[in-house]
Every structure is written in C-alpha cells, then in structure tokens.
Amino acid sequence: RPPRSTLFPYTTLFRSLGDMLNDKGGVERAAIARVKSAWLKFRSLSGILCTRGMSWKMKGLVYKVCVRSVLTYGAETWAMKADVLARLRGTERRMMRMMTGVSLRDRVQSTEIAVKLGVNELEEHMRRVRLRWAGHVWRMDESALVRKALEMKVEVSVGRGRPVKRWIDVVKEDMRKRGLVRGDAENREFWQERLRLE
C-alpha cells in the first residue's frame, strides 16, 4: 500500500464508468456493484418482465438487452473467479424465476427455464464478451495504449500460495475451450465465427 500523501487523497475504493475499483485488485466489489445496478434495472422493468401476458421468449429478449447488459457491464476485463461467477449466476437465476413465476418448489431446473426464455448460459456469455474484447485489442496497432497496457510486464514479488488469477489466464482458458490461439484474432471473420459456436 502506498504511503498516504498530504497533497493527494488516498482511497481504497474508486468508482469509474460504472465499475468499482479497489486497492486489492480483485473484482468482488465490482461484481457487487453490478448486481445492485442490475436489480435496479430489473425492478424498473418488472411491469414488463413479470407480467403474465408476455411470451417467455420476449421476456428473455428484453432481459438480455436491458438487464443482463447491466449485470455484465465491464466484465470482459475481469479476471473472473468462481465465487464471482456464482454470485452473478445466482442473481440471474433468481431473476429468471421471478420473470416466469417458477419457484424452487416446482422442481424445474434453472437451465430449463433459461432455454424456454432463450437465454444462453451466463458463463458462455461471459466467455464470448471476453474473447470479443481480447480479439479487438489484439488487432489494434502495437502502439495503441490499450494494447501496450494489456501486454505490459509488471514485476512483483510473489509470495507463498496460489498465484493471483490474471485476466490473461482466464482468456487463455476461454481460447482453449473454443479451439483458438492468439494469432487467430488477426482474422476477424474467423474469430467471430468461432465465438458464435454453441
């Protein structure tokens, strides 16, 4: 932690463009902020999303465009962890049950509800947006600031235990699951085609 300065105020939390940054470098606080924002949007649209007169497919479409986009805003740059993904997934599943009126007592799996709503798996959605953004950055000129920042090597002392999960580690796993390598990003059409695969 840097020393406190009398000239510049020091804070452990900072909100920027709807994202929540903290001095620990994790994404947990950002995920909490996105969940809160998504619930605000969901409640403002509850008259549409929770009405009985609208088809499930239409509800799913409105949800994806208006609520899921808020829930996952900025998440393409997160080093996603299992607990963060579980928080987002739990939020989405609760929303889908409220939209359809299906309770846990009905013994209907959340995956079945998602299929009927036309909503793809949240993990798959996150994988696509990460790879789409990564491909966009890798196609930039090498002098672009975003690409320089992404490829910058930071020398840090590594302590004991499991190393901190980095964004690039998550993206490499995404590419492995999609059968992609970094050089494929140069071919935009091929890259996008691989992202559309179910």
Side-chain angles (χ1 to χ4, degrees), residues 10-53:
Y10 177 80
T11 181
T12 58
L13 289 174
F14 179 72
R15 183 179 292 277
S16 173
L17 299 175
D19 203 355
M20 186 68 75
L21 310 175
N22 66 76
D23 61 343
K24 301 290 190 259
V27 300
E28 290 78 8
R29 296 300 295 267
I32 292 171
R34 297 323 309 158
V35 167
K36 288 180 180 178
S37 296
W39 274 117
L40 287 173
K41 179 57 69 174
F42 182 86
R43 292 188 182 101
S44 71
L45 294 171
S46 60
I48 298 173
L49 294 174
C50 299
T51 185
R52 294 184 178 182

Side-chain angles (χ1 to χ4, degrees), residues 8-141:
F8 301 101
Y10 177 80
T11 181
T12 58
L13 289 174
F14 179 72
R15 183 179 292 277
S16 173
L17 299 175
D19 203 355
M20 186 68 75
L21 310 175
N22 66 76
D23 61 343
K24 301 290 190 259
V27 300
E28 290 78 8
R29 296 300 295 267
I32 292 171
R34 297 323 309 158
V35 167
K36 288 180 180 178
S37 296
W39 274 117
L40 287 173
K41 179 57 69 174
F42 182 86
R43 292 188 182 101
S44 71
L45 294 171
S46 60
I48 298 173
L49 294 174
C50 299
T51 185
R52 294 184 178 182
M54 183 180 290
S55 71
W56 283 23
K57 290 292 184 182
M58 183 57 68
K59 287 183 179 183
L61 180 61
V62 173
Y63 170 78
K64 286 190 293 185
V65 172
C66 300
V67 181
R68 180 185 260 187
S69 60
V70 174
L71 181 65
T72 60
Y73 176 79
E76 62 268 22
T77 62
W78 294 357
M80 187 62 67
K81 297 180 180 179
D83 58 335
V84 174
L85 181 61
R87 179 188 295 273
L88 298 178
R89 188 189 292 124
T91 299
E92 180 163 274
R93 288 180 176 177
R94 185 178 173 195
M95 288 177 175
M96 288 194 296
R97 289 188 180 275
M98 291 177 67
M99 288 161 54
T100 58
V102 179
S103 69
L104 293 172
R105 288 174 294 188
D106 295 321
R107 296 186 178 277
V108 179
Q109 293 185 349
S110 298
T111 52
E112 294 180 35
I113 299 173
V115 169
K116 290 181 179 180
L117 286 169
V119 177
N120 62 333
E121 282 288 329
L122 182 64
E123 187 174 6
E124 178 59 28
H125 170 73
M126 303 289 281
R127 181 177 297 118
R128 288 180 183 179
V129 297
R130 270 194 304 269
L131 288 175
R132 185 181 300 121
W133 190 78
H136 173 68
V137 173
W138 287 333
R139 283 189 297 272
M140 289 181 178
D141 188 85

Side-chain angles (χ1 to χ4, degrees), residues 158-164:
V158 180
R160 291 184 176 182
R162 187 175 183 178
V164 176

